[in-house]
Amino acid sequence: MSTDLDRTTVEEAYARWAPIYDVVFGAVFEPGRKAAIAQVERIGGRILEFGVGTGFALPAYKRSNRFVGVDISEPMLQKAREKVEKERLTHVEGLCLMDGAQMGFADASFDVVVAQFVITVVPHPEETLDEMARVLRPGGEIILVNHLGAEDGLRASFERWFARRARKLGWRPEFQLARLRNWARQNGTVEMIEARNVALGMYTMVRFRKLAADATGEAEADDKVMMAG
Ligand SMILES: C[S@@+](CC[C@H](N)C(=O)[O-])C[C@H]1O[C@@H](n2cnc3c(N)ncnc32)[C@H](O)[C@@H]1O
């Protein structure tokens, strides 16, 4: 049995979720969204909403920002397009069907990359994070919010057991913060600057800052960040 998610599984899962996604997940994800959106607004500018899904977060952003949304699921994107049209979301520059592991954007073309409830469901998390870092300008931030797996204890055991069953839903419940720390260390162009519990620990918000070109290789991300919140 494959213990990982492939593109077909993710596409099939989100084709099933698309018609009911906002009703099922809209309110559940709200505290995580608020935390991420506040951090995005602190920087502002040209923003990549990675794994934009049905575009649930888009109406909440200030119109002074400019947004590009990408997603691998056409049915999810179709919902986002309808929202942009219906709610006249003029701050949305474009919505693109794209696999995050290979994005067609120039280097350093965004001030912020935000991914809400996405990184644990992408087929290739490390390659996708590499791409997020590539398209981000030096000084810009990658902002992730997600449920992350427990490192140990009963919850960790349950998440390992549930992992196999969760693949069909397009989830990786056992994905841990350590995997993000390791990625930042290996990538070398970013440092992890915050990992904070949100909504009584239901979600974790993680922020990475892109280093200046001459500072890459000096990041010791995991030594600097303590879990807070
Ligand atoms: C749980 S939904 C989150 C949607 C949205 N960010 C939100 O907060 O409601 C995860 C989204 O990630 C998308 N996704 C998964 N893998 C992807 C990839 N490799 N590239 C782009 N989007 C991807 C899925 O299609 C889905 O729309």
Side-chain angles (χ1 to χ4, degrees):
M1 183 214 59
S2 166
T3 55
D4 219 347
L5 285 173
D6 57 40
R7 183 172 176 158
T8 308
T9 308
V10 172
E11 284 175 340
E12 286 175 358
Y14 284 94
R16 286 195 301 271
W17 282 122
I20 54 167
Y21 184 88
D22 287 5
V23 175
V24 176
F25 296 109
V28 178
F29 286 164
E30 197 51 25
R33 279 184 211 297
K34 274 196 177 150
I37 289 170
Q39 291 302 317
V40 171
E41 295 286 10
R42 190 178 46 78
I43 304 168
R46 186 164 189 252
I47 294 147
L48 177 62
E49 179 83 33
F50 182 84
V52 63
T54 63
F56 200 89
L58 294 173
Y61 291 107
K62 285 190 191 137
R63 300 301 186 261
S64 49
N65 302 303
R66 285 167 300 138
F67 284 84
V68 176
V70 304
D71 205 283
I72 206 174
S73 164
E74 176 57 28
M76 292 290 275
L77 271 181
Q78 187 49 37
K79 293 281 174 192
R81 288 189 201 105
E82 288 164 16
K83 218 168 261 137
V84 167
E85 173 94 17
K86 195 168 161 215
E87 302 190 30
R88 295 179 213 274
L89 302 179
T90 52
H91 57 326
V92 179
E93 266 181 18
L95 294 169
C96 315
L97 183 65
M98 213 181 257
D99 183 343
Q102 287 175 304
M103 290 195 274
F105 304 116
D107 294 357
S109 48
F110 294 96
D111 298 294
V112 182
V113 178
V114 57
Q116 305 184 34
F117 310 103
V118 179
I119 199 57
T120 59
V121 310
V122 300
H124 305 289
E126 283 76 14
E127 288 86 337
T128 301
L129 287 159
D130 283 343
E131 275 292 90
M132 291 186 194
R134 181 186 67 76
V135 301
L136 187 66
R137 68 157 166 84
E141 291 186 17
I142 299 173
I143 298 167
L144 309 179
V145 69
N146 237 100
H147 168 83
L148 292 179
E151 313 261 320
D152 48 37
L154 258 185
R155 182 158 75 86
S157 306
F158 170 76
E159 283 165 349
R160 275 196 302 275
W161 171 83
F162 184 52
R164 229 173 118 169
R165 288 138 188 99
R167 293 299 185 258
K168 277 197 199 128
L169 302 170
W171 295 337
R172 261 193 212 94
E174 76 290 8
F175 190 112
Q176 297 173 354
L177 181 63
R179 189 161 174 181
L180 296 174
R181 286 187 198 285
N182 290 340
W183 166 74
R185 196 187 302 119
Q186 277 160 19
N187 175 275
T189 70
V190 297
E191 59 178 343
M192 189 190 279
I193 54 174
E194 185 180 26
R196 172 166 29 119
N197 283 332
V198 178
L200 303 173
M202 200 160 40
Y203 308 122
T204 307
M205 186 179 63
V206 184
R207 290 166 49 223
F208 302 92
R209 184 180 299 130
K210 176 100 173 253
L211 301 168
D214 56 4
T216 55
E218 291 170 17
E220 291 168 22
D222 56 342
D223 298 334
K224 291 183 184 163
V225 180
M226 302 297 289
M227 191 71 191

